[in-house]
Amino acid sequence: MGFVGLNVLTTRRDPGRTSGSGSRCRRSSVVCSVSNVDSALVSKAGKADLKWDELGFAYVNTKCFVKCVYKDGQWGEMTIETDPYVKVHIGATALHYGQSCFEGMKAFTGKDGKVRLFRVDENAKRLQTSTERMVMPEVPSNMFIEACKLAVRENIEYAPPYGFGGSLYVRPLMFGSGARVGLQPADEYTFVVLVTPVGDYYKGGLSPVTAFVQTKYDRAAPQGIGNVKVGANYAADILPFQICKSKGYPINLYLHPKTGKTVEEFGTSNFIALKGDSYVTPDSPSVLPSITNKTLMHLASEMGMQVERRPVTVEEIADFDEVAACGTAVVITPVTRLVHNDEVIKLGNYDDQVGPRFNELYQNVRAIQNAEVEDRYGWTFDVME
Ligand code: PLP
Ligand code: COI
């Protein structure tokens, strides 16, 4: 199953340029070495004909996606596909049994015009936990990172320019594409990386939301698959989330499925809170380990906070100084009200405003992502390198 290097076979007819520094690409039968393309590519960032300030979080078609198929015990060549459809066997395990997992991260155009992926190495590791749980072959980290960089480079025009607050959302997806009728893992897997430009969620600064506590539905079972990023977890959330939105609330909070007494996480983000000098986040085996939360915990402890990963009871939520949701999509969403069993609970000390320390943490993360401050942590990955 090893991955020995990047060998890209393109299905596009654009012989004019190669696909990335230091890697090898294959266009038709010509194998070429690529190392002198960076400056031309960097200047193409943000050149697509899009209204950057009108972008939301919706799929916008880009030029191409990256694809790699695992068959006969090994990964094949990476290809660049321009048709946004994948042909799959009618018996594919992903279609029947949900044997599929994905990742989500962002690439940002920095102040210096360079486009960088944020913590792509962490997404690579998390996908490995998902594939292991789903009995799927591992995507080696170097292959994952190269595929993500390649997908961004090939669509560099769609990376929103610096200053608009947007980003190029990167979605690696892996699914069982081999046919099975009995319940067992597939013998063929397809790994794709697609990208789509997304807007800045907070155009005028962080805006707090009211969250809805799900008491009728669970997201994940205690010993189930809640801790991995598999499609099935999101399927479980579609109905509860629709109900939540129809009541007028933008995010839903799940509680422990057995006891209903402790906090798990929001449908697509982790729960975080501040109390005194403590940064608190639930410690539960059925919560997805958020890379944003990991980032914030690191920065919070640098700011002198004590990071507490522990069970968080529903009763104590009202006592926190600041409460928020965190994830790739928005980094931090302040939560200032909670609807629980028809009761509206006011949260935090800041009267429906974002609190100062979550605001500071948010600004710090965004400054690193936008290359406005030095990345002292090695969290950003230049897609040209
Ligand atoms: N929890 C769930 C269920 C998610 O889908 C996500 C995805 O954004 C997160 C938490 C946050 O994870 P990350 O910070 O890695 O985006
Ligand atoms: C992600 O950005 O990776 C998410 O989990 C959010 C998505 C399900 C909308």
Side-chain angles (χ1 to χ4, degrees):
M1 102 172 44
F3 173 75
V4 281
L6 182 62
N7 208 23
V8 181
L9 181 66
T10 186
T11 54
R12 241 175 3 120
R13 291 177 218 336
D14 176 9
R17 81 172 179 69
T18 50
S19 69
S21 64
S23 53
R24 298 174 74 227
C25 72
R26 182 120 74 89
R27 308 224 173 257
S28 305
S29 59
V30 184
V31 178
C32 48
S33 140
V34 285
S35 57
N36 54 354
V37 292
D38 297 6
S39 51
L41 273 180
V42 166
S43 64
K44 280 192 176 180
K47 290 288 187 281
D49 186 19
L50 288 175
K51 293 198 168 75
W52 301 110
D53 47 2
E54 288 177 14
L55 286 173
F57 193 83
Y59 183 77
V60 173
N61 203 32
T62 56
K63 273 165 62 185
C64 57
F65 67 92
V66 169
K67 180 177 155 195
C68 196
V69 174
Y70 182 92
K71 218 193 281 196
D72 302 325
Q74 59 181 3
W75 286 106
E77 285 183 317
M78 227 179 256
T79 59
I80 293 161
E81 308 282 337
T82 51
D83 180 357
Y85 290 88
V86 199
K87 194 172 171 187
V88 284
H89 193 284
I90 195 167
T93 57
L95 300 179
H96 296 259
Y97 305 126
Q99 198 189 16
S100 104
C101 54
F102 67 99
E103 273 305 322
M105 86 207 75
K106 286 177 169 178
F108 299 87
T109 307
K111 202 176 175 185
D112 55 3
K114 291 188 178 178
V115 179
R116 295 177 180 85
L117 281 159
F118 190 67
R119 306 206 76 174
V120 58
D121 54 337
E122 290 292 333
N123 293 92
K125 284 192 252 168
R126 192 169 63 186
L127 188 79
Q128 289 161 5
T129 66
S130 302
T131 52
E132 188 182 356
R133 179 65 177 82
M134 290 285 114
V135 200
M136 298 164 99
E138 182 177 291
V139 177
S141 290
N142 63 338
M143 170 178 160
F144 181 94
I145 295 169
E146 285 308 322
C148 293
K149 285 182 173 179
L150 181 62
V152 174
R153 279 202 300 270
E154 288 290 326
N155 292 288
I156 200 91
E157 295 91 329
Y158 291 87
Y162 173 74
F164 282 88
S167 58
L168 195 59
Y169 181 74
V170 180
R171 169 59 65 83
L173 165 72
M174 175 142 153
F175 57 93
S177 44
R180 297 282 194 209
V181 177
L183 181 60
Q184 58 181 310
D187 57 354
E188 183 200 291
Y189 293 87
T190 301
F191 173 63
V192 297
V193 182
L194 63 93
V195 300
T196 195
V198 296
D200 188 7
Y201 194 81
Y202 300 118
K203 290 200 173 73
L206 293 181
S207 34
V209 299
T210 298
F212 177 76
V213 181
Q214 286 293 354
T215 47
K216 208 170 156 213
Y217 298 95
D218 297 320
R219 173 183 171 270
Q223 296 179 86
I225 49 178
N227 61 329
V228 286
K229 201 164 171 76
V230 302
N233 289 330
Y234 298 85
D237 187 38
I238 290 175
L239 175 64
F241 191 36
Q242 284 298 108
I243 294 170
C244 166
K245 283 192 289 188
S246 73
K247 291 177 188 285
Y249 308 113
I251 56 173
N252 52 358
L253 182 64
Y254 286 98
L255 304 180
H256 192 283
K258 220 166 162 183
T259 65
K261 293 197 185 319
T262 53
V263 175
E264 287 277 289
E265 64 176 321
F266 298 98
T268 58
S269 46
N270 275 184
F271 177 97
I272 55 175
L274 303 178
K275 175 79 184 162
D277 284 337
S278 294
Y279 177 110
V280 182
T281 195
D283 182 26
S284 160
S286 41
V287 163
L288 185 75
S290 153
I291 295 161
T292 312
N293 201 353
K294 188 172 181 178
T295 303
L296 294 168
M297 286 190 265
H298 190 101
L299 297 176
S301 69
E302 275 193 358
M303 283 161 69
M305 289 184 228
Q306 192 81 29
V307 174
E308 290 178 23
R309 307 182 71 158
R310 59 166 175 81
V312 174
T313 64
V314 179
E315 279 84 51
E316 73 179 303
I317 302 179
D319 295 331
F320 287 123
D321 300 337
E322 300 181 42
V323 176
C326 74
T328 292
V330 287
V331 184
I332 287 177
T333 304
V335 180
T336 51
R337 282 165 194 254
L338 201 61
V339 176
H340 187 212
N341 293 331
D342 294 330
E343 192 191 344
V344 182
I345 306 161
K346 279 195 81 179
L347 306 181
N349 299 340
Y350 299 94
D351 211 16
D352 286 328
Q353 301 293 318
V354 58
R357 286 178 303 168
F358 272 149
N359 192 42
E360 186 179 343
L361 280 164
Y362 174 79
Q363 303 301 342
N364 288 347
V365 174
R366 298 295 284 119
I368 298 167
Q369 290 174 334
N370 289 332
E372 287 157 354
V373 295
E374 187 199 344
D375 171 14
R376 295 187 284 116
Y377 312 95
W379 287 344
T380 57
F381 292 71
D382 186 338
V383 299
M384 301 301 163
E385 285 173 0

